[in-house]
């Protein structure tokens, strides 16, 4: 039976093989190869923090993982950051602080308070930046429902 470290190394090796295949065969993949400069240290630091070797890496690892996810989403969905995803950058230190709080034996309420405040701020700004889109969709759905109800009731009264 393989131990945990061996399994993790096998997974990391398999990911590296897939990245190599993508680099060779997918032409557009190399345009965004710079993302690996963020993902690789982030995954390495997460591994070190969660394996218990260096618990002080929770905060920077959480920040890097969150930033890597945001930048990757911006590559996959162009304009993600400018359309409201920028608010998620505020959540980056919150993710690291949450990891630090839950990953340690001693719980510091100050860390939890700071992480909660940053998360709430990020969600608030995300909702504010998405409000015009979401509000427009909501108003459209309400107008469809009310208009459909008016037409339905009037058609019922005509048929009587």
């Amino acid at each position: 039976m393989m131990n945990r470290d061996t399994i993790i190394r096998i997974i990391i090796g398999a990911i590296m093989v897939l990245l190599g295949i993508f680099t060779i065969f997918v032409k557009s993949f190399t345009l965004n190869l710079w993302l690996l400069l963020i993902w690789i240290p982030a995954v390495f630091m997460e591994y070190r923090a969660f394996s218990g070797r260096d618990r002080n890496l929770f905060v920077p690892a959480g920040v890097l993982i969150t930033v890597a996810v945001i930048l990757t989403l911006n590559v996959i969905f162009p304009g993600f950051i400018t359309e409201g995803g920028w608010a998620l950058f505020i959540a980056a230190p919150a993710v690291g602080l949450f990891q630090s709080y839950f990953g340690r034996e001693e719980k510091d309420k100050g860390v939890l308070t700071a992480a909660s405040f940053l998360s709430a701020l990020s969600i608030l700004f995300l909702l504010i930046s998405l409000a015009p889109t979401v509000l427009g969709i909501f108003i459209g759905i309400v107008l469809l429902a009310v208009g459909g109800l008016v037409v339905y009731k009037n058609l019922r009264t005509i048929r009587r």
Side-chain angles (χ1 to χ4, degrees):
M1 180 155 183
M2 292 185 282
N3 64 10
R4 185 175 169 214
D5 286 342
T6 305
I7 292 171
I8 290 174
R9 286 186 188 121
I10 290 172
I11 291 171
I12 291 172
I15 290 171
M16 292 173 88
V17 166
L18 285 173
L19 289 174
I21 290 171
F22 284 147
T23 302
I24 293 169
F25 294 111
V26 180
K27 299 287 185 211
S28 63
F29 185 76
T30 55
L31 295 175
N32 300 311
L33 207 55
W34 59 270
L35 281 171
L36 289 178
L37 298 175
I38 299 171
W39 275 105
I40 290 173
V43 170
F44 177 72
M45 285 194 286
E46 286 284 350
Y47 168 71
R48 299 258 317 167
F50 279 107
S51 66
R53 292 189 178 128
D54 192 357
R55 299 251 186 230
N56 293 327
L57 287 177
F58 275 123
V59 175
V63 169
L64 273 180
I65 283 288
T66 307
V67 168
V69 168
I70 295 167
L71 293 175
T72 303
L73 286 172
N74 194 56
V75 166
I76 295 171
F77 307 108
F80 173 77
I81 292 173
T82 57
E83 296 295 323
W86 61 267
L88 295 176
F89 282 111
I90 299 170
V95 169
L97 290 171
F98 276 126
Q99 285 182 348
S100 177
Y101 179 79
F102 291 113
R104 293 178 183 257
E105 287 79 27
E106 66 278 351
K107 306 293 186 201
D108 184 5
K109 297 290 185 191
V111 171
L112 185 61
T113 303
S116 300
F117 176 75
L118 287 171
S119 296
L121 200 61
S122 177
I123 290 170
L124 174 71
F125 286 138
L126 191 63
L127 291 176
I128 288 171
S129 63
L130 294 178
T133 305
V134 174
L135 189 62
I137 292 171
F138 178 72
I139 290 172
I141 290 172
V142 168
L143 286 172
L144 280 171
V146 170
L149 187 63
V150 167
V151 169
Y152 175 73
K153 284 192 174 204
N154 284 319
L155 284 177
R156 266 189 35 199
T157 58
I158 291 174
R159 291 188 183 174
R160 286 185 189 179

